[in-house]
Amino acid sequence: MHLVVVGGSDAGIAAALRAREFDPTLDIDVVLADAFPNFSICGLPYLLSGEVGDWQALAHRSRADLERSGLRLRLETTVHGVDPVARTLVVVDAGHREAVMGWDALVVATGAEPVLPPIPGLDCPGVFVLHTMDDAFGLARALESAPESALIVGGGYIGLEMAEALIERGLEVTLVERLPQVMPTVDANLASLISEEIARHGGHVVLDTGVHEIAPCRGGRLCVKGDGGFERAADVVLVAVGVRPNAGLAGSAGAAIGPQGALVVDRRMATSLPGVWAAGDCAETYHAMLGRPAYLPLGTTAHKQGRTAGENAAGGDRVFAGSVGTQVLRVFDLAVGRTGLRDLEAAAAGFEPLTVVSTAPDHVAYYPGAHPLHQSVTGDRTTGRLLGFQIAGHRLAQVPARLDIAATALHHGATVDGISDLDLSYAPPFGSPWDAVQSAAQAWISASSGA
Ligand SMILES: Cc1cc2nc3c(=O)[nH]c(=O)nc-3n(C[C@H](O)[C@H](O)[C@H](O)COP(=O)(O)OP(=O)(O)OC[C@H]3O[C@@H](n4cnc5c(N)ncnc54)[C@H](O)[C@@H]3O)c2cc1C
């Protein structure tokens, strides 16, 4: 059987490797438009900050490793069309040569592309987006000429990680966000800690300000104008206002597309076309809390969906367990994360949410170096079921580990009270006899019982 995987990043490589493992007799081609198979684009902010010194270190596996695993890689080869009836696709390689390739099973893992807001000036030299290795190389070249200032449009996690990276590189950074808070996927009280952390390191965060024009101005700089008379000149502008699914290839072959433009897939990652599977940022994801599809373009999801799609394309019968919307971010010394549903999301989904905010030290106060953890537990008033958890604290305060306790509890449908019963590890340098997550759960129990 011949399996073709379109896309050679997180989802595509996960699919190809799992398919190979599941059925070692498969003939597998991985076709990717760029020259960077299995590179971690999640690492780009750390490459640009200088924390990761060599771009080649971003490869999860080398090309040779992948080929040794039995994958045939077709780099710099773009798939232009899929015929789902004849089971063929048209590829064009770097030398502009066109060829037709047959397939018995197809995994589409074409990812996402940055959203470009409808504002003039995005094509000016010095304006960048950040999604691919080539985007990063372009920005890195611009940084070599020692620009003094940068303006970032968009306060989502990529804009925030890049604010840190560029401040670390010595630039004066202004981040402009259209909404009243950065990081709109967490509650405002945690988002304001992020803005404060950026300000503490000399960055400027401008909220409630949509950017509506970028234009060249004096001295080769870029002049950025926005709502309320906002105007600032910068040497470099990074536009990071989100991504949209790159679903056109399978879509134009007839695959169903969902409301957010992503490929519709079932729990086995099958598209509406027979023999065609999809995974990663081009596809919808099953949201385990909502019990319906959502669009959550994250690397962690892309890997798991890819593994499921690969196994099923190889003849297996694996069901994707679903996402619970877990996400974490570091900005300087602060780590912030969320999992599950926030209060408004839970109410919209028909739950009866109660959200309780509390603070606890990350480890016993008498042991040096304790930091406060700001936690927010959302649970259902009627059933006591844990619905969501948000946390912010020092980057050394094991924020992701604590977030993952909650994500694991959500995955297993635990109650808030059930978190108190967990047998968690404890030693004074790391925690408390009641871990901070358990203290937050107990604060929720007290509030829900009116104590
Ligand atoms: C700066 C940045 C930081 C991030 N940080 C995090 C993080 O900390 N945590 C997290 O969970 N997620 C993070 N993400 C998101 C994560 O990187 C993506 O969710 C993940 O890479 C999606 O993988 P994918 O394989 O679906 O798509 P992509 O990585 O977008 O790859 C798409 C692949 O498809 C190929 N392709 C597309 N069209 C064609 C075609 N027509 N023919 C052939 N090949 C084609 C491309 O060449 C590429 O190989 C980050 C993303 C960025 C940009």
Side-chain angles (χ1 to χ4, degrees):
M1 182 167 95
H2 184 206
L3 168 66
V4 176
V5 177
V6 187
S9 185
D10 292 349
I13 296 295
L17 288 174
R18 180 59 188 149
R20 155 66 58 204
E21 191 178 49
F22 190 80
D23 181 354
T25 69
L26 286 185
D27 181 24
I28 304 178
D29 275 292
V30 180
V31 184
L32 58 153
D34 62 36
F36 307 102
N38 213 189
F39 272 65
S40 171
I41 57 175
C42 303
L44 295 180
Y46 311 104
L47 179 70
L48 290 161
S49 70
E51 286 165 275
V52 174
D54 175 7
W55 63 267
Q56 307 206 47
L58 293 183
H60 290 299
R61 294 172 195 79
S62 70
R63 181 177 180 178
D65 288 341
L66 293 166
E67 287 173 342
R68 258 196 305 278
S69 304
L71 309 185
R72 196 159 45 236
L73 298 176
R74 296 179 184 266
L75 272 49
E76 297 180 271
T77 302
T78 302
V79 178
H80 281 280
V82 174
D83 184 333
V85 179
R87 297 209 169 187
T88 56
L89 39 80
V90 177
V91 298
V92 176
D93 69 14
H96 306 290
R97 284 177 296 264
E98 189 174 296
V100 174
M101 187 188 268
W103 48 271
D104 301 306
L106 182 67
V107 175
V108 177
T110 45
E113 54 194 12
V115 170
L116 296 176
I119 55 175
L122 291 181
D123 53 351
C124 291
V127 179
F128 296 90
V129 293
L130 184 62
H131 190 77
T132 64
M133 292 300 295
D134 283 331
D135 294 337
F137 296 147
L139 184 50
R141 274 193 299 276
L143 295 177
E144 276 164 21
S145 62
E148 289 175 2
S149 57
L151 186 140
I152 298 171
V153 185
Y157 74 90
I158 294 176
L160 293 164
E161 288 175 350
M162 283 306 299
E164 173 182 339
L166 296 177
I167 291 170
E168 290 290 5
R169 292 281 298 251
L171 280 78
E172 175 159 9
V173 172
T174 304
L175 183 146
V176 185
E177 167 57 52
R178 183 171 51 88
L179 298 173
Q181 66 170 75
V182 296
M183 197 67 183
T185 49
V186 300
D187 284 350
N189 61 321
L190 300 191
S192 64
L193 297 174
I194 304 174
S195 294
E196 285 164 21
E197 184 68 0
I198 290 178
R200 200 168 70 84
H201 288 83
H204 313 280
V205 176
V206 181
L207 301 174
D208 286 311
T209 304
V211 164
H212 48 69
E213 186 189 314
I214 304 169
C217 59
R218 273 196 311 279
R221 305 180 89 199
L222 292 158
C223 198
V224 181
K225 293 185 181 165
D227 298 336
F230 173 84
E231 191 167 342
R232 189 147 312 179
D235 297 314
V236 169
V237 173
L238 174 68
V239 178
V241 297
V243 295
R244 74 165 138 255
N246 188 6
L249 180 69
S252 48
I257 302 278
Q260 285 160 296
L263 294 167
V264 171
V265 284
D266 65 14
R267 298 278 303 276
R268 299 173 69 245
M269 305 311 298
T271 69
S272 61
L273 298 174
V276 182
W277 315 81
D281 286 4
C282 64
E284 292 182 339
T285 194
Y286 175 73
H287 197 299
M289 302 290 302
L290 300 175
R292 60 170 167 76
Y295 184 58
L296 297 171
L298 285 171
T300 173
T301 309
H303 276 94
K304 286 163 200 120
Q305 290 185 330
R307 186 176 168 85
T308 305
E311 182 168 327
N312 292 335
D317 188 19
R318 191 179 180 89
V319 171
F320 174 58
S323 306
V324 292
T326 312
Q327 187 186 17
V328 72
L329 162 82
R330 186 202 73 186
V331 180
F332 294 105
D333 288 334
L334 182 70
V336 181
R338 59 81 49 93
T339 186
L341 304 174
R342 292 158 64 200
D343 203 281
L344 276 174
E345 296 162 347
F351 294 103
E352 288 184 61
L354 168 70
T355 296
V356 175
V357 174
S358 60
T359 303
D362 68 312
H363 60 253
V364 286
Y366 65 76
Y367 185 85
H371 296 285
L373 287 169
H374 306 273
Q375 304 175 97
S376 174
V377 173
T378 301
D380 189 277
R381 290 172 193 274
T382 311
T383 63
R385 181 180 167 191
L386 177 67
L387 299 175
F389 180 72
Q390 299 173 66
I391 180 168
H394 193 275
R395 69 187 162 85
L396 300 178
Q398 302 189 60
V399 164
R402 288 176 161 121
L403 186 65
D404 291 344
I405 292 170
T408 307
L410 285 168
H411 184 83
H412 291 287
T415 60
V416 178
D417 198 26
I419 290 181
S420 257
D421 294 334
L422 295 174
D423 180 18
L424 302 179
S425 59
Y426 161 58
F430 301 124
S432 307
W434 289 113
D435 188 80
V437 179
Q438 294 175 311
S439 302
Q442 288 165 4
W444 188 91
I445 300 290
S446 301
S448 70
S449 58

